[in-house]
Amino acid sequence: MTSEYDAALDLTPAEVPGRWAGRFSDGWSIGQAVNGGLVMAVAVEALHRQLAEQGDAAHPDLVAVSAFFLTASQPGPVVVDTEVLRPGRTLTTGQVSLQQPGEDGTPVPRMRSLVSVGALTGTPARRQPPPVDLPAPEDCVGSGDAPPGGLASSTLLQRLDLRLDPSCVGWAVGRPSGRGVMRGWFRFADGREPDPTSLLLALDGLPPVAFELGIPGWAPTLELTAHVWARPAPGWLRVEVTSEVLSDATMEEDARVWDSSGRLVAHSRQLCGVRVPEGWAPAG
Amino acid sequence: MTSEYDAALDLTPAEVPGRWAGRFSDGWSIGQAVNGGLVMAVAVEALHRQLAEQGDAAHPDLVAVSAFFLTASQPGPVVVDTEVLRPGRTLTTGQVSLQQPGEDGTPVPRMRSLVSVGALTGTPARRQPPPVDLPAPEDCVGSGDAPPGGLASSTLLQRLDLRLDPSCVGWAVGRPSGRGVMRGWFRFADGREPDPTSLLLALDGLPPVAFELGIPGWAPTLELTAHVWARPAPGWLRVEVTSEVLSDATMEEDARVWDSSGRLVAHSRQLCGVRVPEGWAPAG
């Protein structure tokens, strides 16, 4: 059985060299767009397929990706263009661009990214932040338990088994903590185990930290850079997202993901857009 | 009088559309390469010039840049190709690629980057980390005072007035702290005041954090992403660089820069290569 995630990464070679054709189903949307984590995963998958086609089997794992989101991706066909910039011994770096046909058929650029792939090991990092402390998954708040708060229409949440730390869900009942922290457990709802590329969904899959700062509404990712440190062990992932900078119209979010063995497997930083309510003041 | 930094950013339009020609002098080298901060600044400058040529005056400030370093830049001519990906109202995003002629004249790709520019204000951020505490500049260690440690041959240090916190220079006398922190004051030696683009040199201008972890040697940047939060006030910049992940051959460095008014003006994260000595163990 193909997992929902693997089905979403299905790509076929197009006639233009380096080009791949895919489709965003309507199962990965959040707000008015396809989730950025999935968009990035499709980009990385295209580079992997391109390298495989070129006979490069030495760089099976995502190591680093920086994605600039140009317009919001929509369910429907997607065209993915890859360019290998530098084939290397330890790292190979490429560029991946995504576009979708607009209403009149003109291609609309969605996202452009730079991606480095290599070979990760199971070796623990020599230095890493300790895994975030979380209540057991059964003591956390599942997507099904969470009051709407604008997420009810998200099809993405049906693909994920997300268990939020009860101390980070005050926003859902109108009492955001003001701390700028979002934490929880993450795995795919259908049991698909994590791999380096799918960690992008964990890094970008929790509700925006802005919610816990009392800033509701859509917080679209403008730019996200992720580093992957190890191949994740099977099982639950722990995710913590924090923020230390909020400006007038943008903020940053730092995400960390640990696997079930306690290793930091990935982290990311993103710049996202926010609409700060009139009269907003930092809590605490 | 043109400052040394502005002279380094001098670019002339080339015959190919979107292309700019420049030159790396031998005044900005560190280890065996031109400093990554300067390489990124040249890329951003090229995009600004391209946009100016196209009549876009609404996006004068660097907001975000992600750069992937493909090979080490060398003193000599450099060719900078720009591509505007999405002209926007608040942000315009482009791609900038740098190449240099190899020994046989073949272009060698040096760096590829994605860059978003916009209009920053002097408004303080609504949330930000407080400025790092530092001894007064005159109580810090100047580049001239620092024992060699492999930096003596760096021409970059002659362009900068760098004053390191004495608590972060144990590496220079064989006693690294093991904390993974590097801190100091930064300004250009010739008094050139900072602007959003030049903050890239502050973000990437301190000695590698690896030194304070007991890992000597060259720590080449593989990827660096920076966000700029405000136009810096004139005067000294405070810089703090920390690291929380060290793997077998790579580590990450997080840099923060505050201006003389105490505002966080930029931060960055980079993935860099390291050669961990045999038998290395974390201190503390």
Side-chain angles (χ1 to χ4, degrees):
Chain A
M1 267 262 318
T2 303
S3 75
E4 294 177 322
Y5 170 75
D6 291 296
L9 262 53
D10 193 32
L11 292 165
T12 51
E15 281 175 24
V16 178
R19 176 169 287 183
W20 296 81
R23 168 172 286 275
F24 291 131
S25 80
D26 58 5
W28 300 87
S29 294
I30 178 96
Q32 301 305 310
V34 176
N35 170 254
L38 185 77
V39 173
M40 289 186 287
V42 167
V44 173
E45 175 68 13
L47 183 63
H48 278 309
R49 291 190 186 215
Q50 186 63 33
L51 290 173
E53 200 178 78
Q54 297 177 200
D56 177 349
H59 305 93
D61 301 313
L62 171 64
V63 172
V65 54
S66 289
F68 282 62
F69 293 86
L70 306 169
T71 56
S73 289
Q74 304 298 328
V78 58
V79 174
V80 190
D81 284 300
T82 64
E83 179 190 353
V84 178
L85 301 177
R86 183 173 185 258
R89 196 160 42 91
T90 52
L91 287 183
T92 281
T93 298
Q95 172 181 293
V96 188
S97 307
L98 268 73
Q99 47 161 278
Q100 292 189 291
E103 285 185 17
D104 62 356
T106 317
V108 179
R110 295 302 190 201
M111 186 272 261
R112 185 165 293 199
S113 58
L114 296 166
V115 184
S116 288
V117 292
L120 296 171
T121 64
T123 318
R126 290 163 179 265
R127 295 179 82 232
Q128 70 154 63
V132 63
D133 202 27
L134 289 173
E138 55 273 23
D139 297 327
C140 286
V141 181
S143 318
D145 310 332
L151 296 181
S153 63
S154 157
T155 57
L156 172 69
L157 294 185
Q158 299 163 21
R159 308 279 87 69
L160 310 178
D161 190 352
L162 206 57
R163 310 286 181 95
L164 297 177
D165 183 328
S167 77
C168 303
V169 296
W171 54 273
V173 292
R175 282 194 292 276
S177 69
R179 288 179 306 165
V181 177
M182 194 66 72
R183 286 196 289 254
W185 300 92
F186 177 103
R187 65 179 180 191
F188 285 115
D190 64 4
R192 204 269 191 194
E193 295 295 355
D195 63 22
T197 302
S198 79
L199 294 174
L200 294 168
L201 280 94
L203 290 166
D204 196 38
L206 267 56
V209 165
F211 287 3
E212 269 300 81
L213 291 174
I215 302 171
W218 180 227
T221 304
L222 303 170
E223 180 273 329
L224 189 150
T225 300
H227 300 145
V228 181
W229 295 97
R231 291 187 188 156
W236 281 107
L237 298 168
R238 291 167 190 257
V239 186
E240 181 177 49
V241 191
T242 59
S243 173
E244 64 173 34
V245 196
L246 167 66
S247 190
D248 277 342
T250 52
M251 66 182 290
E252 60 89 32
E253 286 194 0
D254 286 322
R256 296 176 180 84
V257 179
W258 296 264
D259 70 6
S260 60
S261 77
R263 288 180 309 179
L264 183 83
V265 286
H267 66 187
S268 66
R269 176 175 286 166
Q270 71 166 274
L271 183 69
C272 55
V274 284
R275 202 168 291 209
V276 182
E278 196 81 35
W280 179 91
Chain B
M1 267 261 320
T2 303
S3 75
E4 294 178 321
Y5 170 74
D6 292 296
L9 262 53
D10 193 32
L11 292 166
T12 51
E15 282 176 24
V16 178
R19 176 170 288 184
W20 298 80
R23 169 172 286 275
F24 291 131
S25 80
D26 57 6
W28 300 88
S29 294
I30 178 97
Q32 300 306 310
V34 177
N35 169 254
L38 185 78
V39 172
M40 289 186 285
V42 167
V44 173
E45 175 69 12
L47 183 63
H48 278 310
R49 292 190 186 217
Q50 185 63 33
L51 290 173
E53 201 178 78
Q54 296 177 200
D56 177 349
H59 306 94
D61 301 312
L62 171 64
V63 172
V65 54
S66 289
F68 282 62
F69 293 86
L70 306 170
T71 55
S73 290
Q74 303 298 328
V78 58
V79 174
V80 189
D81 284 300
T82 65
E83 180 190 354
V84 178
L85 300 178
R86 182 172 186 258
R89 197 160 43 89
T90 51
L91 287 183
T92 281
T93 299
Q95 173 181 294
V96 188
S97 307
L98 269 72
Q99 46 160 279
Q100 292 189 290
E103 284 184 19
D104 61 355
T106 316
V108 180
R110 294 303 192 200
M111 185 271 263
R112 184 163 294 198
S113 58
L114 296 166
V115 184
S116 287
V117 292
L120 295 171
T121 65
T123 318
R126 291 162 179 264
R127 296 180 82 231
Q128 69 155 63
V132 63
D133 203 26
L134 289 173
E138 56 272 22
D139 297 326
C140 286
V141 181
S143 318
D145 310 332
L151 295 181
S153 64
S154 158
T155 58
L156 172 70
L157 292 185
Q158 299 162 22
R159 309 279 85 70
L160 310 178
D161 190 352
L162 207 57
R163 311 284 181 94
L164 297 178
D165 183 328
S167 77
C168 303
V169 296
W171 53 272
V173 291
R175 283 194 293 274
S177 69
R179 290 179 305 164
V181 178
M182 193 66 73
R183 284 195 290 254
W185 300 93
F186 177 103
R187 66 179 178 190
F188 285 115
D190 64 4
R192 203 271 191 193
E193 295 294 357
D195 63 21
T197 301
S198 79
L199 294 174
L200 294 168
L201 281 94
L203 290 166
D204 196 37
L206 267 56
V209 165
F211 288 3
E212 268 299 83
L213 290 174
I215 303 171
W218 181 227
T221 304
L222 302 171
E223 181 273 328
L224 189 151
T225 299
H227 300 144
V228 181
W229 295 97
R231 290 185 189 157
W236 282 107
L237 299 168
R238 292 169 190 256
V239 186
E240 181 178 49
V241 191
T242 58
S243 173
E244 64 173 36
V245 195
L246 167 67
S247 190
D248 277 341
T250 53
M251 65 181 291
E252 60 89 33
E253 285 195 1
D254 286 322
R256 296 175 181 84
V257 179
W258 296 264
D259 71 6
S260 60
S261 76
R263 288 178 309 179
L264 182 84
V265 287
H267 66 188
S268 66
R269 175 174 288 166
Q270 71 168 274
L271 183 69
C272 55
V274 284
R275 201 168 292 209
V276 182
E278 196 81 34
W280 180 92

